[in-house]
Amino acid sequence: LAYLDADFSAHSGGFYLDRIEALYHYLQNSGRSSVDISGFPIGSGCRYSDECSSNRCDWDSYNPLTSVARCYPKLGRGEWCNEDSDCKSN
């Protein structure tokens, strides 16, 4: 990445490099000077709740063979939360 003034040699290949380049091009094309790093957007894959901007990572179904974890919005009043952190009230 000669156009960035940083040493990325520790991450010099694969998916990580692709993401950094995509962020760089996003900044160039959007005219923005910063990238929102508050977490993954709703619908993104995740492993832990703190990876999501909503702070809610949950399985998309109950089938252990096909289910994947995704970021979801917090649940509102009267909706069933399987963890306290899933609710807007927390």
Side-chain angles (χ1 to χ4, degrees):
L1 292 175
Y3 46 82
L4 294 177
D5 187 22
D7 178 13
F8 291 105
S9 59
H11 309 285
S12 62
F15 184 70
Y16 190 79
L17 179 61
D18 293 343
R19 298 215 28 144
I20 289 178
E21 287 182 327
L23 289 172
Y24 177 77
H25 292 298
Y26 166 79
L27 289 174
Q28 280 187 320
N29 296 332
S30 68
R32 295 177 183 231
S33 60
S34 63
V35 175
D36 179 8
I37 59 168
S38 62
F40 298 138
I42 304 303
S44 298
C46 56
R47 292 185 68 192
Y48 306 102
S49 291
D50 59 358
E51 294 177 327
C52 302
S53 61
S54 64
N55 203 30
R56 181 177 174 224
C57 179
D58 227 331
W59 297 102
D60 62 359
S61 76
Y62 292 105
N63 184 333
L65 300 176
T66 61
S67 184
V68 294
R70 299 204 179 279
C71 296
Y72 286 93
K74 294 263 189 181
L75 297 168
R77 184 175 299 238
E79 295 182 272
W80 184 79
C81 300
N82 63 350
E83 298 178 47
D84 289 342
S85 63
D86 290 348
C87 299
K88 286 182 183 177
S89 60
N90 285 348

